[in-house]
Amino acid sequence: AYGFAACHNSGLCVLAFRGTQIESYQDFLTNIQILLTSVPQARHRGLVHAGFLNSALALLPGVTDWLNSVTAARTRLLICGHSLGGAIANLVAADVRPDSLVTFGCPRVGDDEFVDFLLNHLHLQITRVVNCCDVVPTLPPTFMSYEHASDALYLDNNGTLLVNPTVNALKRDRA
């Protein structure tokens, strides 16, 4: 897993996490570890995807060190990511408590208790963007108890942004 960190003179700091690299067998192995597992420092955070958690935990010491180094300059923290990076961003957000979380094509990360933690305990502004035919946001499936942490901003096949479209609207657009 990889990330990028930067802080602007205005005090806005950004952590951005990279998505799955199709040629990376490590990313493939991370993505297929779909069993739900508890977060080690749980604090009633629910269950999350084991592979995503392992990647986030590997990055967390570097993230924490960087955040400590920019504490004096930081007025706002935005965490973002695409695909696998979006999943990692969700898990890092649960630990470092940013102001905003923005994901693009993010898979489901955890169960409803994890989602509740992100939404109700962190008071986090979450923006989740989904592209019309991207399959990643439909995984892992809901029958395995996975949920998304917010409604979707959906880009349809014409490039129009729809806010939390109905299932029928999605079916029509994807057809």
Side-chain angles (χ1 to χ4, degrees), residues 74-91:
R74 186 178 80 219
T75 59
R76 185 163 165 75
L77 177 60
L78 165 72
I79 297 181
C80 60
H82 168 256
S83 187
L84 170 60
I88 293 168
N90 273 267
L91 291 160

Side-chain angles (χ1 to χ4, degrees), residues 20-115:
T20 299
Q21 298 296 299
I22 201 72
E23 68 281 351
S24 170
Y25 75 91
Q26 294 98 336
D27 286 357
F28 173 76
L29 293 175
T30 294
N31 291 334
I32 64 169
Q33 295 175 45
I34 62 170
L35 294 179
L36 286 164
T37 188
S38 61
V39 178
Q41 61 278 25
R43 297 194 305 258
H44 305 290
R45 293 187 188 174
L47 302 173
V48 298
H49 184 286
F52 301 159
L53 178 62
N54 289 336
S55 291
L57 290 175
L59 292 171
L60 205 50
V63 166
T64 302
D65 288 347
W66 178 76
L67 287 172
N68 288 337
S69 75
V70 298
T71 298
R74 186 178 80 219
T75 59
R76 185 163 165 75
L77 177 60
L78 165 72
I79 297 181
C80 60
H82 168 256
S83 187
L84 170 60
I88 293 168
N90 273 267
L91 291 160
V92 169
D95 271 326
V96 303
R97 299 176 180 241
D99 301 290
S100 301
L101 170 65
V102 179
T103 64
F104 301 89
C106 182
R108 295 181 183 103
V109 177
D111 66 4
D112 59 350
E113 191 175 346
F114 175 74
V115 167

Side-chain angles (χ1 to χ4, degrees), residues 104 128-134 152-163 165 170 173:
F104 301 89
R128 184 171 68 89
V129 181
V130 176
N131 193 20
C132 69
C133 294
D134 186 356
L153 295 178
Y154 178 85
L155 289 167
D156 72 9
N157 64 23
N158 296 314
T160 304
L161 188 64
L162 308 174
V163 179
L170 293 175
D173 185 58

